[in-house]
């Protein structure tokens, strides 16, 4: 199963994250299928997502983690995904 989740980067006590599509059996920081965006609290705006790529993976059946689902709701990508699939 493909999951959309975060992988950690950055120095000690200075985290940055990549939002990736990954096989659910892989390690947290292991090999991933595609880079979908980044989340870095040190930058403004902290969150950047490739909307088209995220929607493509969601349509193919990828399951977002709870944190990623909250990010998608905040960016209104989740509503767009649900509206397309409701028709």
């Amino acid at each position: 199963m493909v999951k959309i989740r975060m992988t950690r980067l950055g120095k000690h006590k200075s985290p940055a994250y990549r939002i990736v599509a990954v096989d659910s059996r892989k390690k947290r920081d292991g090999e991933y299928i595609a880079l979908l965006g980044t989340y870095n609290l040190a930058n403004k705006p902290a969150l950047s997502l490739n909307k088209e790529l995220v929607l493509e993976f969601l349509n193919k059946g990828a399951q977002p983690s709870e944190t990623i689902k909250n990010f998608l709701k905040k960016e209104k990508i989740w509503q767009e995904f649900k509206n397309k699939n409701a028709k």
Side-chain angles (χ1 to χ4, degrees):
M1 170 189 293
V2 175
K3 299 275 259 177
I4 299 175
R5 64 184 186 204
M6 295 194 294
T7 182
R8 191 181 192 282
L9 302 170
K11 300 185 293 185
H12 179 68
K13 295 192 176 184
S14 179
Y17 299 92
R18 287 183 179 158
I19 300 170
V20 296
V22 63
D23 185 346
S24 63
R25 297 170 289 188
K26 296 285 185 179
K27 297 180 197 175
R28 180 194 71 182
D29 295 335
E31 183 182 358
Y32 55 86
I33 300 168
L35 176 63
L36 306 178
T38 59
Y39 180 63
N40 187 351
L41 294 171
N43 295 340
K44 297 290 181 194
L47 180 65
S48 67
L49 288 168
N50 183 337
K51 182 177 175 180
E52 293 79 26
L53 203 51
V54 170
L55 286 171
E56 179 183 331
F57 274 96
L58 288 172
N59 287 325
K60 289 181 180 177
Q63 298 296 310
S65 68
E66 288 299 316
T67 304
I68 298 301
K69 189 183 277 189
N70 289 335
F71 287 157
L72 295 178
K73 287 177 181 177
K74 180 180 171 186
E75 297 291 317
K76 305 215 180 342
I77 297 172
W78 188 250
Q79 288 92 349
E80 185 176 332
F81 168 67
K82 285 297 183 184
N83 289 339
K84 282 185 179 179
N85 287 345
K87 294 179 181 177

